[in-house]
Amino acid sequence: MVDTEKGVKIANRLRADFDIVESLGYTCIGTFLFGSQNYEIDTDESDIDTRAIVIPNFMDVVKSMSYEGQFVEEKIKLDNSEQKTNMDIIYFIIIF
């Protein structure tokens, strides 16, 4: 695949995932590549794994205080076997 084509495919996927996250009711800060594309070891057959960073709503924050730091992390398997992970910004900061 030509690099331009690959870049367009990745950009379209990141935008589509952003829209999916927003449609699930999250406030999305951004969607990011998480996988082989980051290391330039992907092939034409490689899937595109993404992570979305979201801002937790008030009730998520309250629940996380009640359940000893149970922050939002949600893994979603897409129809085309690709996966994406949504995580709230608090969890993202803790693990990175």
Side-chain angles (χ1 to χ4, degrees), residues 12-24 26-31 50 52-53 84:
N12 288 341
R13 172 61 194 279
L14 290 169
R15 181 65 209 179
D17 286 358
F18 183 94
D19 293 341
I20 290 169
V21 171
E22 294 266 308
S23 75
L24 294 172
Y26 294 106
T27 301
C28 186
I29 294 172
T31 53
T50 63
I53 308 302
K84 61 180 304 344

Side-chain angles (χ1 to χ4, degrees), residues 13 18 25 39 43 62 69 96:
R13 172 61 194 279
F18 183 94
Y39 307 102
T43 66
V62 170
F96 292 102

Side-chain angles (χ1 to χ4, degrees), residues 69-87:
Q70 297 296 315
F71 300 104
V72 174
E73 181 182 29
E74 177 182 32
K75 295 185 185 295
I76 299 172
K77 189 110 176 153
L78 302 175
D79 293 338
N80 59 1
S81 82
E82 295 175 343
Q83 69 177 11
K84 61 180 304 344
T85 303
N86 299 336
M87 65 177 66

Side-chain angles (χ1 to χ4, degrees), residues 26 56-72 88 90:
Y26 294 106
N57 64 37
F58 176 75
M59 287 310 296
D60 288 337
V61 172
V62 170
K63 286 184 216 172
S64 71
M65 288 186 228
S66 304
Y67 296 103
E68 301 176 9
Q70 297 296 315
F71 300 104
V72 174
D88 72 38
I90 298 168

